[in-house]
């Protein structure tokens, strides 16, 4: 786009005014433009009448988190406690306001979560928001620009909270806003002078974290600005619906790479140096976490945050890296959404999927090498089962089990599964046609699978060409049961001839 972008709401409104005046005449009265930021002042929101029914105790919330989240004991404890207290305090303050009017000033317990990717940061917050039943929005700090006209601004999060709350401003005012990748708005330390735009985003965010009022209508949202202008033309009254952020809980998170170096420097420990070899990765992650757990405000300021910003984040929780055992526990957890989700995917085709424990362990081992925490579990399972998910629904297979062999060589195992299935349906056909129970041992079934693939035939076609003659032959021999091993499968005709010869030789001997 080569057009010039308006740089602030006043300009947008001016352009609008010019446009409308040109089109409809000069008598259009345009409401006073507002500044880009939020404005504190009187607002029209009704007093809170919708009770938030909150009576959870920290230990109950922690127990709830324990049902879903593996490890992360410290984070679970801190989050459960501080979030419960936040909501209980809110209730107490409201009762006091309604009663005696006594109000004690307080510092909101906004929370900073530090931890590598895929270890449960978002998951914990989502679980909590669900359990408490408050609206919840998640945003990415990288998406915001200081002015907001390019990527949207931090206040959009507050407006989104209203949408999440089904339009209820009161509910939104008790919601949780979660901002991920907060470390990306630390000002770059290698620049000379302050990194203006990132510092600007920090400032905007800290206003929200403290207390401010946000216009329900975004100044850069032309449609809603038009709407409110039309209303204004009709009623002569300018409606300003505002959302107060006093009770909105802010949780911010990030991976904070290299924060451990800053902590170590403060502790006079020097650099950790490079342990680049892959085996050292886990070890390094644990060392890292141990230092990050000792983080102090000054380290975060050194990292590139304004002291006022850090001042609004009195609670810090550090999450641990997940190792093979943890990933295995996650898979075995009956609330685990990864295996449940995959089972549902297959159930959608009427197929019952199950996992052997040993297979889960192998999946955990593969996932651990990817270094993306529990996120890798999804990727590994998808990678293993994709071809199964594509092929099995068109067969009459109604259940299958993920074994360690499936995890190790999914393609070969899929071939085997399909061959077994075709072989099984051939034996059914054989029984019906000749009244004989034909069985194939596993070696025979595997051979037939491979042979069919290499000949570009279906296993059933191959079986028919090889074994239909066995029907009459075996009948002749008076058999009601017969097992075919790999050798017999390889050279079926000779095998049958041999059998018949033997029988008659014995008979004539
Ligand atoms: N400790 C854990 N216990 C159980 N499941 C987990 C745990 N950590 C992650 N998971 C699973 O992995 C998924 C992804 O984790 P989550 O979204 O919480 O990652 P994150 O820590 O927010 O990472 P990122 O920094 O990449 O956003 C979750 O939805 C959950 O299913
Ligand atoms: Mg996340």
């Amino acid at each position: 786009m080569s057009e010039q972008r308006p740089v602030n709401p006043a300009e947008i409104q001016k352009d609008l005014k010019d446009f409308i005046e040109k089109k409809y005449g000069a008598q259009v009265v345009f409401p006073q433009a507002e500044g880009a930021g939020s404005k504190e002042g009187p607002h029209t929101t009704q007093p809170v009448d919708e009770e938030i029914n909150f009576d959870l105790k920290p230990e109950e919330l922690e127990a709830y988190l324990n049902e879903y989240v593996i490890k992360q004991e410290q984070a679970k404890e801190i989050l459960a406690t501080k979030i419960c207290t936040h909501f209980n305090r809110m209730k107490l303050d409201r009762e006091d306001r309604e009663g005696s009017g006594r109000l004690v000033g307080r510092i909101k317990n906004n929370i900073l979560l530090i931890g590598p990717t895929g270890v449960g940061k978002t998951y914990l917050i989502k679980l909590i928001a669900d359990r408490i039943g408050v609206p919840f929005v998640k945003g990415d700090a990288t998406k915001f620009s200081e002015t907001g006209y390019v990527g949207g601004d931090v206040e959009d999060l507050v407006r989104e909270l209203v949408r999440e709350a089904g339009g209820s401003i009161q509910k939104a005012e008790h919601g949780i806003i979660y901002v991920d990748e907060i470390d990306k708005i630390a000002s770059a330390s290698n620049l000379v002078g302050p990194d203006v735009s990132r510092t600007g985003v920090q400032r905007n965010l800290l206003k929200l974290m403290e207390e401010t009022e946000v216009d329900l209508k975004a100044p850069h949202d032309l449609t809603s600005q038009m709407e409110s202008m039309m209303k204004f033309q009709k009623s002569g009254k300018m409606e300003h619906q505002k959302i107060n952020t006093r009770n909105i809980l802010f949780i911010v998170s990030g991976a904070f790479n290299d924060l451990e170096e800053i902590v170590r420097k403060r502790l006079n420990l020097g650099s950790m140096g490079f342990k680049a070899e892959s085996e050292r990765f886990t070890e390094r992650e644990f060392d890292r976490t141990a230092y990050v757990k000792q983080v102090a405000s000054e380290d975060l300021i050194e990292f590139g945050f304004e002291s006022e910003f850090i001042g609004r984040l009195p609670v810090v929780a550090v999450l641990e890296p997940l190792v093979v055992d943890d990933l295995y526990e996650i898979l075995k957890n009956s609330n685990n959404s990864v295996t449940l989700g995959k089972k549902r995917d297959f159930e959608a085709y009427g197929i019952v999927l199950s996992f052997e424990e040993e297979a889960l362990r192998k999946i955990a081992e593969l996932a651990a090498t990817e270094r993306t925490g529990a996120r890798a579990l999804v990727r590994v399972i998808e990678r293993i089962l994709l071809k199964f998910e594509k092929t099995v629904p068109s067969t009459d297979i109604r259940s299958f089990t993920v074994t360690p062999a499936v995890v190790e060589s999914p393609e070969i195992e899929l071939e085997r599964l399909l061959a077994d299935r075709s072989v099984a349906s051939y034996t059914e056909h054989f029984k019906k046609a000749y009244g004989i129970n034909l069985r194939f041992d596993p070696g025979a079934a595997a051979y037939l699978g491979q042979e069919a693939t290499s000949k570009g035939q279906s296993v059933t076609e191959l079986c028919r060409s090889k074994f239909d003659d066995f029907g009459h032959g075996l009948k002749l021999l008076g058999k009601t049961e017969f097992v075919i091993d790999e050798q017999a499968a390889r050279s079926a005709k000779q095998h049958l001839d041999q059998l018949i010869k033997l029988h008659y030789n014995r008979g004539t001997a």
Side-chain angles (χ1 to χ4, degrees), residues 115-161:
T117 185
V119 299
K121 299 185 294 294
T122 308
Y123 192 39
L124 279 164
I125 308 304
K126 269 209 185 116
L127 285 168
I128 292 171
D130 269 4
R131 179 67 185 80
I132 298 179
V134 294
F136 165 76
V137 299
K138 175 176 177 283
D140 243 48
T142 50
K143 302 262 161 64
F144 305 124
S145 62
E146 189 188 359
T147 49
Y149 299 106
V150 185
D153 66 21
V154 291
E155 295 186 356
D156 289 339
L157 291 172
V158 178
R159 294 181 196 103
E160 214 178 304
L161 209 47

Side-chain angles (χ1 to χ4, degrees), residues 488-504:
R490 276 185 190 279
S491 38
K493 290 258 180 312
Q494 288 96 309
H495 192 78
L496 182 61
D497 289 348
Q498 193 76 24
L499 273 176
I500 294 173
K501 226 185 260 166
L502 263 172
H503 181 81
Y504 283 102

